[in-house]
Amino acid sequence: MASLEKPAPGDLASAQAGPEAPTAVEPVPVAPEPLPTAAALLAAGDVQTAPGVDVVAPESTPAPPKDRRVLRAVARWVATVGVFALAGAGAAYGVVGMERTDVPGLATESDGRWAYPEISRAPVPEGGSTDSHLADVRRLVLPAPAGATEDKPLRGADGWLATKDFLAIYSEADDREEAAQVLTDNGLRHIAARGWTTEDGTRTGIYLLQFDTAPTATGVCSEFTDFVSPKYDTRGADLWDFDDKYPSEADIPGIDRHAYEEAKPYGAEHLRQAYLCAGDVVAVITQAHPDLVAAVPFQQTVVLQSQLLS
């Protein structure tokens, strides 16, 4: 509680003379702030979360599983249920009780984060919907970090990537055919993409698939994702696990995130990938490295791309 002080004689005289008319204050226009750099965002812990909200894959009627996936999916499901039953309750408490420097993606500068350039959200036309991206999605693809070599063919013609070039990330011909049919049936509008290779040899690909409506994109997202593993195997990996080490407190409200990691034994490369369901856009993020894809830059990339789509 503030203490009461005896007014000075001059103040008392002013008070007795009556209040003065308030001085008009001219409003000062404030320019929109750009998004912080990745280092500043993650170091300051500015990633907002929705308390008590879990990321749940959209409900849909699953297609019958392929024979080659049945046994491995059942085995992983049984193992996953056991692990989550034991660790689920303690995970939230463990994260809350950790120091910020102990949380992946929120640690110190030596944790392997990439130096992304300062980024800003593209301007949204007046009257835009919260479920639709009226801004050009080519401006919503995360730029390459400092020192990376860009994969220029992923830019495509006029910034749009051909559907067949996106489908090339999947290893099986029948997967590519099935995925292509899903995209056709749901009226895929276009794909904006970008890729790069960092100095440590990590290859990244980001693909933004835009549809006419958010419900359509949500349905497509459910066709490509599963709780245990992605529906279609990415080239270079046949076995996948749900990435339960990805920190849920880094998720962006309003965006469903599905992150996966290649299961051992790894092939020629180690892979990670994520699907983001963001309004009328489905984002696919892939990373591969000859030895091991580090968790922190992967999480950092997913968080920043989520920010741009939020």
Side-chain angles (χ1 to χ4, degrees), residues 6-218:
K6 183 177 179 180
D11 296 336
L12 182 57
S14 299
Q16 291 173 344
E20 295 181 359
T23 302
V25 178
E26 291 291 335
V28 179
V30 179
E33 296 183 359
L35 288 178
T37 61
L41 171 68
L42 298 175
D46 285 337
V47 174
Q48 300 298 315
T49 61
V53 177
D54 293 326
V55 176
V56 180
E59 294 183 0
S60 65
T61 302
K66 298 181 180 179
D67 292 341
R68 64 188 176 84
R69 295 199 182 97
V70 171
L71 293 179
R72 78 185 190 212
V74 170
R76 284 205 301 271
W77 174 258
V78 172
T80 302
V81 170
V83 170
F84 275 86
L86 292 174
Y93 174 80
V95 169
V96 172
M98 295 168 68
E99 294 293 331
R100 199 188 78 191
T101 53
D102 295 331
V103 180
L106 302 177
T108 61
E109 290 292 344
S110 62
D111 62 4
R113 282 172 293 167
W114 293 339
Y116 280 99
E118 184 173 326
I119 54 178
S120 300
R121 292 184 181 92
V124 178
E126 186 176 352
S129 168
T130 56
D131 291 332
S132 299
H133 293 87
L134 298 184
D136 190 329
V137 293
R138 288 173 295 186
R139 301 183 62 182
L140 300 180
V141 188
L142 186 67
T149 301
E150 187 169 359
D151 184 359
K152 293 183 179 179
L154 279 188
R155 287 296 190 103
D158 298 326
W160 301 120
L161 185 71
T163 303
K164 64 180 180 61
D165 293 330
F166 162 69
L167 294 172
I169 71 173
Y170 300 115
S171 57
E172 301 291 335
D174 57 345
D175 282 351
R176 294 193 294 272
E177 182 178 353
E178 183 177 318
Q181 192 62 51
V182 170
L183 299 179
T184 299
D185 291 345
N186 287 276
L188 172 68
R189 293 175 58 189
H190 38 231
I191 302 173
R194 181 169 291 140
W196 61 79
T197 301
T198 50
E199 295 174 338
D200 68 350
T202 301
R203 293 186 297 106
T204 298
I206 299 178
Y207 309 84
L208 304 187
L209 289 67
Q210 188 172 34
F211 299 86
D212 285 331
T213 67
T216 300
T218 298

Side-chain angles (χ1 to χ4, degrees), residues 169 203-207 234 272-274 284-288 298:
I169 71 173
R203 293 186 297 106
T204 298
I206 299 178
Y207 309 84
T234 303
R272 294 181 187 268
Q273 65 175 309
V284 184
I285 300 172
T286 65
Q287 286 191 347
F298 172 72

